[in-house]
Amino acid sequence: MRADVILDNEAPNFLDVFFKTHENVSIIGEIGFGNGEFLVHLAKKDPEKFYFGFEVSRTCLMKCQAKVEREGLDNVYLLSGDARFLLRECFPDGVFEGIYMNFPCPWPKKRHEKRRVTAGFFPDVLAAVLILGGFFELATDDEEYAFESRKILSRHQALSFESHEINPERAVMTKYERKWTAEGKTIHVVRFRKEKPWTVKRISEGRASEMHLESEGAKPDMRLLSTFNDTSGGSREQRWIFKNCFEGSDGTFLLETMTADEEFQQHFYIKIVPREGKSLIKFDPATKPLVTPAVKKAMQELRIRMEEIQ
Ligand SMILES: C[S@@+](CC[C@H](N)C(=O)[O-])C[C@H]1O[C@@H](n2cnc3c(N)ncnc32)[C@H](O)[C@@H]1O
């Protein structure tokens, strides 16, 4: 049995199908599962529930996938990408019975504080995706982070602070928990509950495959398209950059593109298909992004530029 690793651009379609075929199921999430022992322990203990793990590290994803396979579990799904965006863009409101976050990077420097998982829009995301009465549990060795999260999350209208335990007995220790405990550090486990209904604004429009444009300009070739290399645009909130253009053996072109909607970055290829008197602009099926405002702007900008080139 192999755990599915779902890449961030596959997540909306995968989860569409999952929620259509799994009604009223219990779902537990873990953000930043590392080597996966906590997630696997929970999934083994309670095979009736479904477990969704979120990780940005591909190495961790592979390690956890191997553990799931060894244990023969079929109730674990591993999502590759930034949990803050995946939870917001790919999950409906009110689906998680609980979400764990064990030993997140505390990002102690002022200039990095936006990277903290509890910063910015995350409390709203948490409040939206938990079921009523659902919990969020944060374990950390960083006292300041524990108290800051407590302050931020308990200020939220839909969440309430439930408990703050010091060095509690836990059913399974994570790698980082073992490390910090061995160094004599104090472990803080802080719990919150969702008390009221909540929602959050999603910025993506779901399936990438539904977006394609046509441009009426001159027939594109490498000489023209390479003038787009390393050009960028947009605003602070929605940015894009065209990196390199590659020519395919079938006369089509792939334009490597990166976009950022605030901190949400995506890396994908736009496919340009020359046709009689026009060109089709669409996503390369292997790297479809979520259709966010920045992605739409990048596509529209490309169309304008292609119509301008002569
Ligand atoms: C310090 S490690 C802790 C790993 C594990 N939970 C443990 O306790 O051993 C933090 C983990 O969170 C992951 N991570 C950091 N930011 C993340 C994010 N925004 N979304 C998903 N995973 C994230 C990192 O890749 C890393 O594996």
Side-chain angles (χ1 to χ4, degrees):
M1 183 65 60
R2 234 177 135 67
D4 282 317
V5 171
I6 301 134
L7 302 176
D8 46 8
N9 56 7
E10 298 165 348
N13 294 357
F14 172 83
L15 291 166
D16 254 13
V17 176
F18 179 86
F19 285 112
K20 276 189 190 125
T21 49
H22 295 76
E23 277 179 29
N24 303 319
V25 288
S26 290
I27 301 178
I28 303 287
E30 187 187 357
I31 299 174
F33 54 74
N35 68 15
E37 54 201 322
F38 189 84
L39 193 66
V40 166
H41 170 85
L42 295 182
K44 257 173 80 175
K45 200 171 76 127
D46 220 337
E48 299 298 307
K49 295 187 181 176
F50 290 90
Y51 291 84
F52 282 90
F54 300 85
E55 244 310 328
V56 286
S57 153
R58 294 285 165 111
T59 313
C60 291
L61 280 155
M62 287 193 312
K63 280 190 183 160
C64 185
Q65 187 183 29
K67 280 196 178 68
V68 173
E69 192 179 340
R70 270 202 303 277
E71 298 290 347
L73 298 170
D74 61 1
N75 57 341
V76 182
Y77 299 99
L78 306 178
L79 285 112
S80 158
D82 188 327
R84 299 170 301 168
F85 296 100
L86 286 169
L87 283 167
R88 186 181 72 187
E89 300 303 323
C90 306
F91 287 85
D93 291 347
V95 288
F96 283 92
E97 184 182 305
I99 296 181
Y100 292 93
M101 186 163 69
N102 293 312
F103 303 91
C105 321
W107 298 111
K109 291 188 182 144
K110 183 86 190 145
R111 69 172 189 278
H112 292 148
E113 67 185 8
K114 267 175 75 181
R115 295 189 197 166
R116 288 180 204 155
V117 178
T118 43
F121 61 87
F122 182 72
D124 274 335
V125 175
L126 208 50
V129 298
L130 286 174
I131 58 170
L132 265 183
F135 68 86
F136 172 60
E137 182 175 301
L138 164 72
T140 178
D141 59 295
D142 189 305
E143 185 176 354
E144 209 183 311
Y145 193 89
F147 278 98
E148 190 194 71
S149 306
R150 213 174 126 164
K151 192 169 94 192
I152 293 172
L153 295 177
S154 46
R155 260 200 318 243
H156 196 284
Q157 286 178 56
L159 300 172
S160 72
F161 165 70
E162 187 174 87
S163 59
H164 185 157
E165 292 181 275
I166 305 293
N167 294 329
E169 281 278 328
R170 301 175 90 210
V172 61
M173 269 196 167
T174 70
K175 179 177 159 197
Y176 275 80
E177 189 166 0
R178 276 196 300 279
K179 179 174 148 97
W180 301 135
T181 305
E183 287 183 17
K185 289 193 173 178
T186 303
I187 306 299
H188 298 255
V189 176
V190 195
R191 263 198 175 231
F192 306 86
R193 284 233 175 244
K194 174 166 167 175
E195 301 282 359
K196 293 185 187 143
W198 198 257
T199 193
V200 69
K201 189 175 179 307
R202 273 80 177 180
I203 61 165
S204 75
E205 294 170 12
R207 297 168 193 226
S209 51
E210 284 158 20
M211 183 172 183
H212 70 266
L213 301 175
E214 280 180 7
S215 96
E216 304 258 317
K219 189 164 189 261
D221 59 28
M222 271 308 276
R223 190 185 56 81
L224 293 173
L225 291 176
S226 59
T227 61
F228 301 163
N229 286 0
D230 288 316
T231 58
S232 60
S235 59
R236 207 174 61 84
E237 290 79 26
Q238 293 143 13
R239 306 181 299 284
W240 47 262
I241 177 162
F242 298 132
K243 295 295 291 176
N244 288 305
C245 192
F246 305 92
E247 187 168 10
S249 53
D250 56 356
T252 64
F253 300 90
L254 285 178
L255 182 60
E256 184 186 5
T257 305
M258 290 159 92
T259 59
D261 292 83
E262 298 189 351
E263 285 170 78
F264 180 36
Q265 293 176 14
Q266 299 193 83
H267 185 191
F268 55 97
Y269 289 85
I270 298 177
K271 189 163 188 166
I272 300 165
V273 185
R275 290 263 167 84
E276 205 50 51
K278 61 177 185 209
S279 299
L280 211 56
I281 304 171
K282 55 187 196 176
F283 298 113
D284 174 45
T287 61
K288 280 186 263 176
L290 303 185
V291 182
T292 62
V295 169
K296 273 168 70 174
K297 284 193 175 157
M299 292 282 273
Q300 281 152 0
E301 175 68 19
L302 180 61
R303 172 171 61 184
I304 293 168
R305 288 198 191 185
M306 286 186 47
E307 292 190 343
E308 281 170 0
I309 55 173
Q310 288 304 323

